[in-house]
Amino acid sequence: MALFGQVDEKGELHLVNHLGLRLKGDPEQVLAAVEKGTFSPDDVEWSAGRGHDADYIDRVRDVDADTPARFNADPGRLYEASGCAGKLVVFAVRLDTFPAEKDTAVFYLGTNSTGKLEDLRRAVLSQFDEMPIAGEYLHRDTFEIADHYGRDTVVAIRYLGTKHLPFFFAMKEKIDLLSQKVSFFPDALGDRVLQAMSRLFPSQVPKRIMAYHKRFEHHLMLKVSGQFADTLRPWLQEFCKDGDMASFECTADEGKLAFLHRFAAAGAAGRYAAVNRKTTGGMMALDVGLRRNDREWFEKLPPEVDNKLVVKLYYGHFFCHVMHQDYVVKQGQDPVAVEHEMWPLLDKRGARYPAEHNVGHLYNAPQSMLDHYRSLDPCNCMNPGIGRSTKRKNWVAESV
């Protein structure tokens, strides 16, 4: 459900209102009404459609399927503004909401066996009526890098809240611009300043979780409702009794810090690469949708690729098998070239990428996605070249 501007095959711009809100007047009046919120509940068309993926839970639960649960180019999830990639001018979207769980519990799990972790994923998705709220995976190396290079992020959110993050990002950008203008300042000055400040703070990782870091290679944070926790608590004790996995229920503070630590991991590789720019060759990031039935989900790179890397960071959304994979390459290596070497390996595994982010102008969009783009923008005048497609008017082939 969206309100968007669309250019037709004649090159004429139209405002399309598929929000499910009765908005009167010319386009400028409609846009003003949405911006100011000058509409009432009586203007809502409750039967206009839905603003969520109604089949998602069933799809994630199908753990024997030979395809990923979700990925950006899934043709079943492309509709108008959804996945439009700049082919429409999107002014507003309407999403379905649901009440947040007030009574929740967080379990922290550790193991050295990827098979044991996969067994848990399949069991939780298959044997219970209720789904977890979140299930976040973290590899030991990612855990350590996040603790050292994402500590300031955890401190900022823990004590100041997320509302102050835009301010810190803006300040970092200003410092980086200053370092570009003043020759004697080092590159990535903003990251260097923040990294120096982070050393003033102790590790934000709770002691029990840090102990798991020393014992286990693979970590999982499992957040569930209070009702599900009552069922899951004894089940986890039974599941972990063979010793291949251990778990404990977090206190409220431990649970909060566990997920903050996972959040900080998302920017840790970038900080590492920026601070160590003189001794590394840059970084690349992949977000990969793995097959739902992939038991060998943890990546094993061939030596000819692995030898080009300094750091490999793995973390992600474990129950839907969407993994974030960040790499820092050795000095003298081209990150883009190394990434291109990885693509055939992912294709061989039946993975789809990018899973969450768009194809941009870096990845080849599959035909189903190109068909979606052409239906939205028949004259190819909005964001031409997306998905490495033709930039020619009216989608004329490059060979013409």
Side-chain angles (χ1 to χ4, degrees):
M1 294 183 284
L3 176 70
F4 54 88
Q6 183 174 30
V7 180
D8 63 19
E9 62 275 4
K10 297 180 181 179
E12 297 178 355
L13 179 64
H14 303 272
L15 184 67
V16 180
N17 177 16
H18 287 170
L19 270 179
L21 294 175
R22 300 181 188 90
L23 301 169
K24 299 178 181 179
D26 58 30
E28 288 82 1
Q29 291 172 317
V30 169
L31 292 172
V34 172
E35 185 174 16
K36 296 176 182 177
T38 55
F39 48 85
S40 70
D42 293 335
D43 297 320
V44 177
E45 298 175 354
W46 296 107
S47 61
R50 62 175 183 245
H52 73 284
D53 183 357
D55 302 323
Y56 180 66
I57 290 178
D58 291 336
R59 204 160 60 252
V60 172
R61 284 188 184 277
D62 189 1
V63 294
D64 292 317
D66 200 36
T67 55
R70 60 184 180 93
F71 54 96
N72 188 274
D74 185 349
R77 259 34 72 182
L78 300 176
Y79 180 76
E80 294 185 349
S82 177
C84 69
K87 287 296 183 180
L88 300 174
V89 185
V90 182
F91 296 107
V93 296
R94 193 172 140 209
L95 303 175
D96 293 338
T97 59
F98 56 91
E101 292 283 353
K102 295 180 180 179
D103 177 23
T104 61
V106 174
F107 296 92
Y108 201 94
L109 299 90
T111 182
N112 291 312
S113 168
T114 58
K116 184 72 171 179
L117 204 55
E118 179 62 16
D119 287 342
L120 180 136
R121 186 187 79 92
R122 297 173 69 89
V124 170
L125 291 176
S126 304
Q127 297 179 17
F128 298 97
D129 294 332
E130 190 172 341
M131 290 273 282
I133 297 170
E136 292 297 300
Y137 167 78
L138 203 64
H139 183 262
R140 173 187 276 159
D141 294 344
T142 311
F143 185 111
E144 187 166 345
I145 292 289
D147 186 29
H148 288 288
Y149 292 92
R151 188 176 301 176
D152 54 304
T153 299
V154 176
V155 169
I157 298 175
R158 182 182 184 184
Y159 294 106
L160 300 176
T162 55
K163 65 179 181 179
H164 294 288
L165 286 182
F167 169 77
F168 289 113
F169 285 132
M171 290 299 296
K172 175 185 173 300
E173 185 178 1
K174 289 181 180 179
I175 295 173
D176 286 339
L177 289 173
L178 179 63
S179 68
Q180 294 174 13
K181 295 178 180 178
V182 182
S183 59
F184 60 82
F185 281 162
D187 292 334
L189 181 60
D191 279 301
R192 295 176 188 276
V193 169
L194 290 173
Q195 187 59 28
M197 291 175 59
S198 72
R199 296 193 182 101
L200 301 175
F201 301 98
S203 172
Q204 301 297 296
V205 179
K207 290 182 180 179
R208 286 203 293 177
I209 295 178
M210 184 62 77
Y212 267 42
H213 165 59
K214 296 175 182 178
R215 288 177 59 190
F216 301 115
E217 181 179 1
H218 307 284
H219 298 238
L220 182 68
M221 289 146 274
L222 192 57
K223 184 177 183 180
V224 299
S225 70
Q227 180 177 342
F228 193 11
D230 292 338
T231 303
L232 195 63
R233 195 175 290 114
W235 184 89
L236 279 175
Q237 291 178 353
E238 180 69 19
F239 187 82
C240 296
K241 71 178 184 180
D242 60 6
D244 289 342
M245 177 180 283
S247 69
F248 66 87
E249 186 170 354
C250 295
T251 65
D253 193 50
E254 285 175 331
K256 177 183 177 181
L257 288 173
F259 276 91
L260 277 179
H261 187 220
R262 158 63 183 88
F263 177 80
R271 172 70 62 79
Y272 178 93
V275 172
N276 297 282
R277 187 172 295 185
K278 291 185 178 180
T279 58
T280 63
M283 71 160 288
M284 56 189 176
L286 285 166
D287 53 298
V288 181
L290 302 175
R291 300 190 329 268
R292 285 166 280 177
N293 66 350
D294 192 349
R295 288 185 173 272
E296 302 297 325
W297 56 271
F298 190 72
E299 184 175 64
K300 296 179 177 64
L301 293 171
E304 60 270 22
V305 176
D306 197 43
N307 291 336
K308 297 176 181 179
L309 304 174
V310 179
V311 169
K312 298 175 292 185
L313 302 184
Y314 299 100
Y315 55 100
H317 319 296
F318 190 63
F319 284 90
C320 60
H321 258 195
V322 171
M323 301 297 293
H324 292 277
Q325 303 176 178
D326 298 342
Y327 310 89
V328 179
V329 302
K330 292 180 179 179
Q331 193 173 35
Q333 296 291 338
D334 178 6
V336 176
V338 176
E339 181 179 346
H340 287 182
E341 290 185 63
M342 293 179 174
W343 289 356
L345 303 174
L346 292 170
D347 294 337
K348 188 176 180 180
R349 295 174 62 191
R352 299 298 298 267
Y353 54 93
E356 292 187 339
H357 305 134
N358 214 310
V359 291
H361 293 259
L362 301 176
Y363 298 89
N364 293 307
Q367 189 58 50
S368 59
M369 186 175 270
L370 292 176
D371 292 342
H372 179 58
Y373 295 158
R374 293 187 70 158
S375 68
L376 300 179
D377 179 23
C379 69
N380 198 26
C381 49
M382 304 288 288
N383 198 13
I386 185 73
R388 303 184 75 174
S389 60
T390 180
K391 294 185 178 180
R392 299 285 185 88
K393 184 178 180 181
N394 299 324
W395 298 89
V396 175
E398 293 285 6
S399 58
V400 175

